[in-house]
């Protein structure tokens, strides 16, 4: 038995830690100028960031539990609608569901963590009834503005019962990048089982732990992400709630490699899902040795990136960064990239501009700052959007600016 807490999925008591990123501030807790000025008397809270593997159900998870209110209500400026790529992905998902399931005014689509309505709004032209669930007040307000009714709550069994009584069972439940964000995992999945119609479909998207491990995406580890999923772990989890992992889709470009799991109450496992489970077993995702050398590889990335950036600074180059992303916060804090290395960070999200990144306190500016100051190099912290960003900043590179991508290995882009 380990001295770590029990697995938040299966309750297993022998979690094995394999990565420690030290003690870090909350990744999305950007500081306002007033908050920055108050740090002497009211310091930034920091929390240990350690990752462990459960040998019983294969779920990878962090061991620290920061209260969700602190993560997603008090300190949350993430708005989904700032990426055209993500919006296109979401629209294609909705159009696909409407067509394959023949959805119309008699059906109800519920999204958990519906954010600013970036996805559910695409159901509206089809007449499908929609309902968003999201505890973040500003995002919920933005969703209502675009016609998406939103319940401002953390989802779980109790909320599911109430919603089912008020609105009927859901024909479709969508949960994108949220099943990693809930400390009471069984309450969340139990809620899906409660709300979903017997013949309904729940689709759940999350980055795939294999991409994290095999492509060195350590910066996607932060306190909002309690879990790092494999199909193996999802299959075990949903079966405990009387549901089945029936199909799996893979989007290699989305958030560094995302899986979409199709979950239902009737067992109808496709060959594709079976192949994914077999593939994970062949890679070793369900056993500890797969994770054992990860910490060493992360440390290598850190020293390579530091060496590259310090070398450029020594030559007199100026360096900025792109994307005040949550993952950017892990990157700059773990690697130790403060104002001595990076001049500022740009971000398109207007809610983040004028703030300072957690821990290192890099100022966040609008994207126009790149052309205004023309730094010699720009480190892409939101590397999952590299193509989109490079395309959008053609003028910056035309004038001689060079982008650097930090993972899988630090590289100056041609
Ligand atoms: P982005 C968030 O993580 C938070 P983050 C959350 N915890 C999660 O799970 C994942 O998403 C899925 C900006 N940007 O989306 C917007 C531009 O400035 O990779 C964002 O601030 N210009 C819910 O924060 C940041 O970059 C652009 O052209 O790591 C990207 O953050 C584009 C495309 C984005 O996720
Ligand atoms: Zn477990």
């Amino acid at each position: 038995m380990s001295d770590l807490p029990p697995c938040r999925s299966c309750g297993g008591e022998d979690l094995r830690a394999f990565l420690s990123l030290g003690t870090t501030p909350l990744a999305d807790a950007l500081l306002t100028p007033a908050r920055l000025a108050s740090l002497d008397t009211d310091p930034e809270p920091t929390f240990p960031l350690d990752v462990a593997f459960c040998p019983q159900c294969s779920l990878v998870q962090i061991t620290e539990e920061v209260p969700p209110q602190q993560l997603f209500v008090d300190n949350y400026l993430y708005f989904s609608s700032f990426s055209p790529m993500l919006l296109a992905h979401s629209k294609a998902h909705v159009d696909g569901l409407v067509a394959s399931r023949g959805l119309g005014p008699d059906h109800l689509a519920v999204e958990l963590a519906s954010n600013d309505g970036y996805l559910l709004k695409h159901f509206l032209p089809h007449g499908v009834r929609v309902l968003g669930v999201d505890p973040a007040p500003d995002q919920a307000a933005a969703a209502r503005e675009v016609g998406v009714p939103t319940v401002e709550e953390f989802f779980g069994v109790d909320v599911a019962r109430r919603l089912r009584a008020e609105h009927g069972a859901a024909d479709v439940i969508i949960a994108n990048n949220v099943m990693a964000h809930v400390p009471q995992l069984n309450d969340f999945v139990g809620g899906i089982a409660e709300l979903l119609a017997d013949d309904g479909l729940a689709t759940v998207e999350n980055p795939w732990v294999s991409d994290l491990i095999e492509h060195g995406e350590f910066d996607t580890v932060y306190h909002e992400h309690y879990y790092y999923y494999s199909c193996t772990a999802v299959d075990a989890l949903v079966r405990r709630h009387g549901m089945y992992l029936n199909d799996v889709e893979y989007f290699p470009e989305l958030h560094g490699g995302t899986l979409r799991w199709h979950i239902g109450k009737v067992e109808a496992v496709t060959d594709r899902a079976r192949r994914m489970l077999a593939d994970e077993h062949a890679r070793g995702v369900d056993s500890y040795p797969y994770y054992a050398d990860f910490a060493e590889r992360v440390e290598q990335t850190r020293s390579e990136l530091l060496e590259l950036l310090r070398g450029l600074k020594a030559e007199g180059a100026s360096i900025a960064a792109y994307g005040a992303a949550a993952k950017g916060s892990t990157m700059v804090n773990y690697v130790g990239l403060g104002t001595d290395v990076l001049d500022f960070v740009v971000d398109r999200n207007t809610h983040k501009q004028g703030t300072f990144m957690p821990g290192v306190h890099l100022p966040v500016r609008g994207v126009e700052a790149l052309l205004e100051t023309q730094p010699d190099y720009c480190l892409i912290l939101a590397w999952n959007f590299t193509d989109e960003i490079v395309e959008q900043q053609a003028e910056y590179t035309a004038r001689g600016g060079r982008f650097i991508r930090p993972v899988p290995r630090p590289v100056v882009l041609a």
Side-chain angles (χ1 to χ4, degrees):
M1 215 173 102
S2 80
D3 54 1
L4 297 175
C7 169
R8 281 197 225 89
S9 179
C10 75
E13 297 197 334
D14 46 2
L15 288 193
R16 294 189 65 180
F18 65 88
L19 175 69
S20 176
L21 295 175
T23 298
T24 67
L26 299 181
D28 265 318
L30 293 148
L31 293 87
T32 60
R35 181 71 185 92
L36 192 68
S38 75
L39 289 180
D40 282 349
T41 48
D42 183 12
E44 231 172 335
T46 59
F47 303 85
L49 191 51
D50 301 330
V51 191
F53 168 75
C54 173
Q56 285 188 37
C57 75
S58 298
L59 183 60
V60 171
Q61 51 203 287
I62 58 168
T63 55
E64 186 76 10
E65 187 174 313
V66 177
Q69 173 80 16
Q70 218 169 323
L71 292 168
F72 304 112
V73 180
D74 302 343
N75 293 297
Y76 206 54
L77 296 175
Y78 178 76
F79 282 68
S80 300
S81 290
F82 284 96
S83 164
M85 187 248 258
L86 189 68
L87 291 177
H89 171 82
S90 308
K91 181 170 188 308
H93 182 27
V94 168
D95 290 346
L97 284 170
V98 169
S100 65
R101 304 190 68 83
L103 301 179
D106 295 338
H107 299 98
L108 174 65
V110 176
E111 187 183 15
L112 311 178
S114 43
N115 200 279
D116 53 15
Y118 74 102
L119 182 140
L120 283 179
K121 69 179 182 188
H122 296 300
F123 280 111
L124 299 175
H126 301 284
V128 179
R129 286 188 297 135
V130 301
L131 184 63
V133 184
D134 200 303
D138 295 347
Q139 287 81 348
R144 290 184 200 109
E145 292 267 305
V146 295
V148 173
T150 303
V151 181
E152 232 170 276
E153 301 217 54
F154 286 102
F155 183 75
V157 171
D158 288 347
V159 171
R161 280 204 187 109
R162 209 188 68 222
L163 295 180
R164 186 168 180 141
E166 285 170 14
H167 303 271
D171 300 288
V172 168
I173 295 179
I174 296 157
N176 292 344
N177 295 300
V178 58
M179 204 163 79
H181 299 61
V182 290
Q184 307 299 332
L185 180 55
N186 285 298
D187 186 49
F188 184 86
V189 177
I192 294 179
E194 184 70 36
L195 184 57
L196 191 65
D198 287 346
D199 61 351
L201 168 69
T203 67
V204 175
E205 287 181 23
N206 244 91
W208 186 23
V209 73
S210 281
D211 279 316
L212 192 174
I213 297 296
E214 294 176 22
H215 301 151
E217 299 166 358
F218 72 90
D219 53 347
T220 60
V221 174
Y222 44 90
H223 298 98
E224 285 166 39
H225 292 166
Y226 299 87
Y227 319 103
Y228 306 84
Y229 285 105
S230 57
C231 299
T232 310
V234 170
D235 188 47
L237 170 63
V238 299
R239 275 177 191 267
R240 260 188 282 112
H241 291 274
M243 299 188 289
Y244 300 91
L245 173 58
N246 284 329
D247 200 3
V248 185
E249 294 173 76
Y250 179 40
F251 302 92
E253 298 302 326
L254 190 66
H255 293 305
T258 288
L259 294 178
R260 178 186 292 155
W261 300 291
H262 294 232
I263 295 158
K265 293 183 173 174
V266 179
E267 186 167 14
V269 183
T270 57
D271 286 346
R272 186 159 67 166
R274 271 187 241 282
R275 274 199 306 273
M276 278 300 292
L277 287 163
D279 171 72
E280 285 188 353
H281 181 64
R283 286 169 195 255
V285 169
D286 50 0
S287 66
Y288 181 77
Y290 183 72
Y291 307 92
D293 71 342
F294 188 59
E296 206 178 295
R297 290 192 284 123
V298 169
E299 185 46 43
Q300 217 169 325
T301 301
R302 160 155 72 177
S303 47
E304 278 176 28
L305 185 59
L306 263 182
E307 201 177 315
L308 171 67
L309 298 181
R310 285 195 181 141
L312 295 173
K313 285 299 275 187
E315 290 166 11
S318 55
I319 315 172
Y322 194 118
K327 66 174 74 61
S329 186
T330 296
M331 180 65 75
V332 293
N333 281 291
Y334 175 71
V335 176
L337 302 174
T339 43
D340 54 331
V341 183
L342 300 173
D343 296 337
F344 57 86
V345 184
V346 297
D347 198 293
R348 199 191 243 179
N349 180 340
T350 43
H351 307 269
K352 294 184 178 179
Q353 294 165 11
T355 65
F356 296 82
M357 286 193 75
V360 292
H361 306 154
L362 299 169
V364 183
R365 302 175 59 178
V367 284
E368 63 285 352
L370 264 192
L371 287 183
E372 278 165 22
T373 59
Q374 192 64 34
D376 300 308
Y377 292 89
C378 181
L379 175 67
I380 305 184
L381 295 172
W383 49 260
N384 45 320
F385 294 119
T386 297
D387 291 350
E388 206 167 327
I389 288 167
V390 171
E391 205 173 305
Q392 168 206 117
Q393 295 300 327
E395 180 62 21
Y396 167 72
T397 35
R399 293 190 197 166
R402 305 283 300 274
F403 281 110
I404 298 170
R405 190 186 148 120
V407 296
R409 279 324 238 303
V411 58
V412 181
L413 300 179

